[in-house]
Amino acid sequence: MSDSPNPSAPLTSSTDSAPGPTEWGEGRHGVGPWALEHPGEPLPTDPHYDPTLLAEGDRRNVVDAYRYWRRDAIIADLDTHRHPFHVAIENFEHDANIGTVVRTANAFLAETVHIVGKRRWNRRGAMVTDRYQHLQHHDTVEELIRWAHDAGLTVVAVDNVPGSTPLETTPLPERALLLFGQEGPGISDASGQQADLLVSIAQFGSTRSINVGVAAGIVMHAWIAQHADLAAAW
């Protein structure tokens, strides 16, 4: 994937249409052809449905409500009710946890995941959810912070460093950009200095930090617990 001349352009991949690890294969997920799953019933005529999936089955890792739907139709439907929080993760050293962050952001229906630093990242951990989740790239933390403030978002950096406040007792802004550092170094100095709010996750064991993918899931779920309509969950 080559670098885009627009550093804030959405991230795309030349392999977006290629089969992924949870798509099109014979796995535990999904359903067979419509004729086998619904014998005697006519094929749906709704334009949301994909003729190929109806004929061959749908083995993608999607919820039942989206079975047999075209991918663009799924994305369009998700766009009607995405949550107003964004997630950003620094990628100055090719962090291996970005795929997990993207997959979790998709599960909690974040608006966009922002990759800061290097453009390339390992998509395997995303388990194809990057095809349904909006992604955006920024070259630097400063560029990301400017974008967030222009969009009316409060930047919430996450790290267990001096000066942070406990996530467990801190109200999270509804329109927030949740910013995470890399495994090992944590958030960069620029993120710590320019964020509007710095929070930490309570820990009680011998390790000084937890995996950034796990941390991102904890903080995203804290936002969900505070702001989401739980009746709308699958």
Side-chain angles (χ1 to χ4, degrees):
M1 179 165 49
S2 59
D3 287 343
S4 166
N6 180 0
S8 295
L11 295 180
T12 58
S13 169
S14 60
T15 61
D16 275 354
S17 297
T22 62
E23 290 193 307
W24 311 107
E26 294 299 322
R28 291 176 294 174
H29 296 288
V31 292
W34 181 272
L36 295 179
E37 299 291 339
H38 305 277
E41 295 185 24
L43 289 176
T45 57
D46 190 305
H48 288 101
Y49 289 97
D50 185 312
T52 301
L53 296 175
L54 290 171
E56 300 179 3
D58 186 354
R59 301 298 182 183
R60 300 172 300 174
N61 182 16
V62 297
V63 296
D64 289 344
Y66 290 140
R67 285 287 171 225
Y68 302 112
W69 278 36
R70 302 188 329 269
R71 184 174 6 137
D72 62 330
I74 295 175
I75 295 170
D77 189 68
L78 293 174
D79 285 346
T80 64
H81 55 280
R82 290 188 190 274
H83 291 126
F85 76 91
H86 295 238
V87 178
I89 183 166
E90 297 179 353
N91 186 36
F92 300 112
E93 300 178 3
H94 285 302
D95 198 294
N97 295 283
I98 294 177
T100 299
V101 174
V102 170
R103 183 179 183 183
T104 306
N106 170 270
F108 293 136
L109 201 55
E111 173 61 38
T112 301
V113 174
H114 302 259
I115 313 297
V116 188
K118 295 181 179 179
R119 188 175 289 269
R120 294 180 181 274
W121 55 279
N122 186 348
R123 293 173 180 259
R124 184 172 181 80
M127 297 296 284
V128 195
T129 55
D130 55 305
R131 299 183 183 182
Y132 305 90
Q133 177 63 54
H134 295 310
L135 305 173
Q136 193 165 330
H137 174 259
H138 306 267
D139 286 325
T140 65
V141 169
E142 290 79 7
E143 181 183 293
L144 171 74
I145 300 290
R146 286 196 301 271
W147 180 93
H149 287 164
D150 288 345
L153 301 174
T154 300
V155 179
V156 182
V158 182
D159 207 345
N160 57 343
V161 294
S164 62
T165 61
L167 170 69
E168 296 74 17
T169 58
T170 302
L172 293 174
E174 184 175 18
R175 289 189 50 76
L177 172 72
L178 309 177
L179 174 56
F180 301 89
Q182 298 177 110
E183 192 71 22
I187 59 171
S188 63
D189 291 341
S191 293
Q193 294 167 3
Q194 298 182 47
D196 302 303
L197 180 64
L198 181 61
V199 300
S200 60
I201 299 170
Q203 298 174 208
F204 303 91
S206 63
T207 182
R208 69 168 301 275
S209 64
I210 58 177
N211 176 274
V212 67
V214 174
I218 291 171
V219 179
M220 281 188 254
H221 190 264
W223 188 99
I224 290 294
Q226 293 181 27
H227 298 292
D229 177 8
L230 299 183
W234 294 119

